[in-house]
Amino acid sequence: MILVFGKTGQVAQELARRAPDARFLGRDAADFTDPAACAACITDDVTAVINAVAYTAVDKAEDEEALATVINADTPGAIARVCADRGIPLVQISTDYVFDGAGDAPFTPDAPTAPLGAYGRSKLAGETAVRAAGGPHAILRTSWVVSAHGKNFVKTMLALGKSRDRLTVVADQIGGPTPAGDIGAACLTIATALQDAPDKSGTYHFSGAPDVSWADFARAIMSQAGLTCDIADIPGSDYPTPAERPGNSRMDCTLTEFVFGIPRPDWRMGLGHILSDLPE
Ligand SMILES: NC(=O)c1ccc[n+]([C@@H]2O[C@H](COP(=O)([O-])OP(=O)(O)OC[C@H]3O[C@@H](n4cnc5c(N)ncnc54)[C@H](OP(=O)(O)O)[C@@H]3O)[C@@H](O)[C@H]2O)c1
């Protein structure tokens, strides 16, 4: 039986659609501020674990790095040690924020990491803890997660696009918007593959294609949603945030396709599904 940590997040909800027989643990059953209690949730009937829990408040993390580190690193580390002891695979979702966003070439999984802020540091510490446990694992780095659930860029743009004629959106940060449903499907494929082939353990990238700027992504959202809101390009420096954002979030996903046969999903198709999933 597959155990998923998380129930209410974007990826967890999409996993629930695709793996209705898996066991999903929400905050009430597995509070990630308590590493030992979460590790104890991995019962003998569990055959693989997917961690869809994270402290994802990027700006707030600047003031709460200790808490973010417990949730994003200490608890995944404790879970990874139990998985390693049992020899069962763990899929740990990570982020493009482990990189500094320099240049314009896609980051490969073995590219040097250098997070710009507290959230990225906490997620990188999580990667290190999962690797150190030494069990079958995949660290699946993704980017710009979108879905019909929770808070994300698509939902923000739709809400603003319905009430405004014109919006300014950052045009000098480039990345791959990634539908949460595709991440969920990739996690399931990888968890299953690692059961048979633990030697496929490692760090992988998975982001939607094609790479775009936030501004171009916003234009695509307005267009697919039939909204007439005009999007004007601005530089990131005109939209200051407590945590610095990477300019380049392009990720080279070649290895993921080569090892697991999972290609980059086309976010334009995923966006259509998200729009049809949303209530009118
Ligand atoms: N969102 C992005 O753009 C993005 C980009 C790159 C990578 N990622 C990574 O992708 C993965 C999934 O992200 P997502 O967008 O699905 O995140 P999300 O929607 O923010 O969901 C995070 C989940 O973590 C849970 N959680 C937070 N603190 C917890 C705690 N102390 N104990 C138990 N549960 C707790 C939340 O539960 P509650 O609902 O109870 O708060 C929620 O279910 C994460 O590893 C994230 O770092 C996300």
Side-chain angles (χ1 to χ4, degrees):
M1 200 253 329
I2 294 180
L3 175 65
V4 177
F5 284 101
K7 202 175 194 173
T8 49
Q10 297 192 77
V11 173
Q13 290 199 53
E14 291 295 334
L15 276 163
R17 281 181 157 182
R18 288 161 179 78
D21 296 336
R23 183 183 301 154
F24 292 82
L25 300 180
R27 192 188 281 262
D28 52 334
D31 182 346
F32 266 49
T33 60
D34 187 342
C38 291
C41 292
I42 306 169
T43 45
D44 288 342
D45 56 342
V46 173
T47 52
V49 175
I50 298 171
N51 178 22
V53 165
Y55 180 112
T56 54
V58 172
D59 289 321
K60 215 169 150 200
E62 295 299 313
D63 295 324
E64 292 188 344
E65 186 161 0
L67 176 62
T69 304
V70 173
I71 294 170
N72 288 346
D74 297 352
T75 297
I79 289 168
R81 287 189 287 279
V82 175
C83 290
D85 285 348
R86 305 255 177 95
I88 58 172
L90 168 64
V91 179
Q92 165 74 7
I93 306 171
S94 194
T95 169
D96 55 304
Y97 277 48
V98 299
F99 297 117
D100 64 5
D104 55 14
F107 288 92
T108 55
D110 60 354
T113 51
L116 296 173
Y119 167 73
R121 282 192 294 275
S122 71
K123 293 293 291 183
L124 181 59
E127 294 188 0
T128 305
V130 167
R131 258 181 233 116
H137 72 277
I139 290 157
L140 189 68
R141 294 187 187 130
T142 189
S143 60
W144 298 21
V145 181
V146 291
S147 71
H149 327 286
K151 281 201 288 187
N152 60 64
F153 187 78
V154 171
K155 292 180 75 177
T156 303
M157 286 301 113
L158 290 175
L160 292 171
K162 283 174 188 159
S163 57
R164 307 243 195 111
D165 295 334
R166 183 177 180 273
L167 285 174
T168 56
V169 180
V170 172
D172 57 1
Q173 293 167 8
I174 314 290
T178 317
D182 293 308
I183 300 171
C187 287
L188 290 167
T189 300
I190 291 171
T192 306
L194 287 174
Q195 286 175 325
D196 297 330
D199 56 308
K200 291 183 173 175
S201 292
T203 302
Y204 297 94
H205 286 177
F206 184 70
S207 68
D211 294 319
V212 277
S213 68
W214 287 115
D216 283 339
F217 186 33
R219 278 186 272 271
I221 294 165
M222 298 306 166
S223 165
Q224 280 207 31
L227 296 170
T228 51
C229 181
D230 186 46
I231 305 295
D233 291 358
I234 55 164
S237 53
D238 282 6
Y239 189 73
T241 48
E244 191 183 344
R245 265 51 174 179
N248 176 21
S249 284
R250 297 174 186 86
M251 294 205 286
D252 185 326
C253 303
T254 316
L255 188 66
T256 310
E257 180 157 15
F258 180 73
V259 174
F260 297 109
I262 308 170
R264 291 183 73 180
D266 187 325
W267 59 259
R268 294 165 297 196
M269 197 184 296
L271 179 57
H273 294 142
I274 291 169
L275 294 176
S276 56
D277 254 10
L278 285 167
E280 288 296 311

